[in-house]
Amino acid sequence: MQVNGKHYRTIWLSDDHRTVRIIDQRKLPFEFIIENISSLAEMATAIRDMHLRGAGLIGAAAGFGMFLAVLESSDMSQIKKAAELLKSTRPTAVNLSYAVDLQLKALTNTIESDRLAKSLEIAQSIADKDAEQCRLIGAQGVEIIKSLSLAKKGKRVNILTHCNAGWLAFVDYGSALSPIYEAQARGIDVHVYVDETRPRNQGARLTAWELGQQGIPHTIIADNTGGHLMQHAQVDMVIVGADRVAANGDVANKIGTYLKALAANDNKVPFYVAFPSTTRDMKTIDGVRDIEIEERSGEEVRKIEAWYKNEIVEVQLCPDDSPAVNFGFDVTPARLITAWITEDGIQKI
Ligand code: MRU
C-alpha cells in the first residue's frame, strides 16, 4: 500500500539480512517511523507492546521472530524456547501460533546447518502468503460492494468498520479494508464510517490514516454511534476483521465488535467478517466459550494518547483512584454474521 505515494509492506527484511524492519504503529498517524528489530527479544517486545499489531501482521512478525531466534542459536532446544516466548506475547490472534508452529515443524525436520536458510524461507513465505490472501479477499469481497452499489443505482455505498483490519494489520492490502480498496480501484463510490475503537483508538488513528493515504472518503465516529446510524439507514454494510475464527463459526475480533453485530442484526444491515484462512482455528470448538481473550492493562482505558506540541502525550481521563478493566477482544456468535469473506470466496453463515 502507499504511504506518501511510496509502496510499503508493514514488515520486511533489510539488506543486511539480519535486521527486520517494521512500521512503528505506536507513532501513527502523527509520525511515520521505521523501526529496526534485530533480536528475538526485540521482536517479542514489539509484538507484546504493540509496535505492530493486527492478526496477520502478528503472524508475519512471529515468523520473522523465529528467524531472528535461529540467527542467535540454531540449536533446537533454544529454538523451542524462542517459540514459547513468541507464543506468550499475545494470546488471541491465532495467526501467531500458526506461524510459530509452521517454523517449529520445518526446523525440526531440517539439519542444523540448514536451519537459518530454512527459517528465512518460511518467514518470507508466511509474509508473502498473507499479502496474497489479503489481495484475494479484496477481489472476492468487492462483489458484495458492487451489488450494493448497483442496488443503489451507483449512489455512494456506506460501510462501517471497527478497529483496524487494513493493510497495517497485515503485510499488505488488509482484510476488511481490502474489498474497499478494490472497490475504489474499480470506480465504485464508497464511504467508510470508522469506529474510533477505544481504548487504543486503532480506528481513529490507524484506519483513518490508512484510508486517507489511499484517498478513500471516511468519517470517524465515536464507538457508540454505529447503532444510531444503522437505525437511520446510514450504513449499507458492516465489514470487520477477525483474530480467531472457531470451528463453530464464532469470531473473536477487537472489543466492541459484538455490539456492532447486535445492532446490525436488529436493523437488518448485513454484517461481514473478512479474514485469511490462516485465522480459522478448528481446534477451538466453541468461540464464545473457548477463545482466550487478552486482558491488557487498565491504564489503556484510564488514559488516552494525543498529539500535543509535536509530541505524543498521555493524559488521564478519570479519577486518580478509579480502577479500569481492559479486555482486548470479544466474540461475535456465528448467528449474527451474514457471511465470511476469505481468499476462497464468500461463505454464507
Ligand atoms: O489489538 P490489535 O490491534 O492487534 O487488534 C487486532 C485487530 O487488528 C483487530 O481485532 C482486527 O479487526 C482484526 S483483523 C487483523
Side-chain angles (χ1 to χ4, degrees):
M1 283 290 160
Q2 307 289 321
V3 179
N4 301 325
K6 184 173 171 208
H7 179 262
Y8 281 90
R9 279 186 167 190
T10 52
I11 190 164
W12 66 97
L13 188 66
S14 83
D15 291 341
D16 69 3
H17 282 216
R18 304 185 70 83
T19 311
V20 179
R21 311 195 85 189
I22 63 165
I23 297 167
D24 187 349
Q25 299 193 23
R26 295 170 305 167
K27 312 285 183 194
L28 288 172
F30 312 114
E31 296 174 290
F32 183 74
I33 289 177
I34 307 292
E35 183 181 357
N36 289 328
I37 309 270
S38 30
S39 69
L40 166 68
E42 282 177 13
M43 185 60 91
T45 301
I47 298 172
R48 185 181 292 110
D49 294 348
M50 295 176 70
H51 306 202
L52 55 85
R53 28 66 53 204
L57 179 54
I58 290 172
F64 278 112
M66 290 295 284
F67 162 69
L68 292 171
V70 181
L71 265 175
E72 289 165 25
S73 167
S74 53
D75 179 81
M76 253 348 267
S77 66
Q78 294 303 314
I79 292 172
K80 282 182 186 156
K81 281 189 192 149
E84 287 315 307
L85 173 67
L86 288 167
K87 280 190 182 182
S88 72
T89 52
R90 296 197 70 193
T92 303
V94 72
N95 303 59
L96 192 153
S97 51
Y98 163 83
V100 170
D101 288 341
L102 205 67
Q103 283 275 27
L104 262 186
K105 193 169 165 207
L107 294 172
T108 306
N109 295 326
T110 303
I111 57 166
E112 188 163 354
S113 57
D114 292 346
R115 280 188 193 135
L116 187 58
K118 178 54 88 181
S119 65
L120 179 55
E121 179 194 318
I122 303 274
Q124 296 280 22
S125 73
I126 291 167
D128 291 345
K129 180 175 169 184
D130 180 86
E132 178 58 8
Q133 285 175 320
C134 285
R135 188 186 69 76
L136 290 169
I137 287 170
Q140 302 284 1
V142 73
E143 296 303 327
I144 298 166
I145 303 176
K146 198 168 114 191
S147 304
L148 284 168
S149 173
L150 282 172
K152 291 184 81 173
K153 299 193 172 29
K155 277 214 244 150
R156 179 166 276 199
V157 177
N158 289 298
I159 303 169
L160 185 142
T161 193
H162 189 70
C163 194
N164 174 262
W167 70 270
L168 284 167
F170 290 86
V171 174
D172 207 347
Y173 299 98
S175 57
L177 299 191
S178 187
I180 296 170
Y181 293 137
E182 185 57 27
Q184 180 200 41
R186 296 190 190 188
I188 300 170
D189 190 6
V190 283
H191 164 263
V192 185
Y193 283 114
V194 180
D195 282 349
E196 60 178 345
T197 319
R198 279 283 290 150
R200 291 185 66 97
N201 289 311
Q202 289 96 327
R205 291 181 65 162
L206 304 178
T207 298
W209 179 77
E210 247 196 80
L211 293 171
Q213 288 292 329
Q214 298 299 128
I216 307 250
H218 61 279
T219 307
I220 299 167
I221 52 175
D223 285 325
N224 298 325
T225 308
H228 168 76
L229 290 175
M230 289 186 226
Q231 275 179 330
H232 292 274
Q234 299 298 302
V235 178
D236 298 304
M237 66 185 280
V238 179
I239 181 165
V240 299
D243 294 271
R244 189 181 292 250
V245 180
N248 71 344
D250 293 353
V251 166
N253 193 52
K254 183 52 57 193
I255 192 81
T257 303
Y258 172 43
L259 290 175
K260 294 299 137 67
L262 285 171
N265 187 260
D266 195 43
N267 291 285
K268 307 209 170 13
V269 174
F271 186 94
Y272 296 96
V273 183
F275 59 91
S277 55
T278 41
T279 304
R280 195 85 210 274
D281 175 19
M282 297 305 283
K283 284 193 225 134
T284 298
I285 306 302
D286 180 306
V288 174
R289 189 190 62 198
D290 301 331
I291 294 177
E292 185 184 349
I293 300 296
E294 174 181 8
E295 204 175 327
R296 299 183 63 83
S297 165
E299 290 305 291
E300 292 182 354
V301 176
R302 290 174 25 85
K303 294 175 180 162
I304 195 163
E305 286 184 349
W307 186 240
Y308 182 67
K309 293 192 177 167
N310 284 328
E311 60 177 341
I312 295 174
V313 293
E314 193 177 62
V315 291
Q316 188 174 313
L317 294 168
C318 58
D320 281 347
D321 50 3
S322 291
V325 68
N326 184 9
F327 295 103
F329 301 89
D330 59 25
V331 177
T332 299
R335 68 185 156 77
L336 298 176
I337 298 167
T338 307
W340 293 336
I341 307 166
T342 73
E343 70 273 17
D344 298 321
I346 297 161
Q347 192 178 329
K348 288 218 182 317
I349 307 303

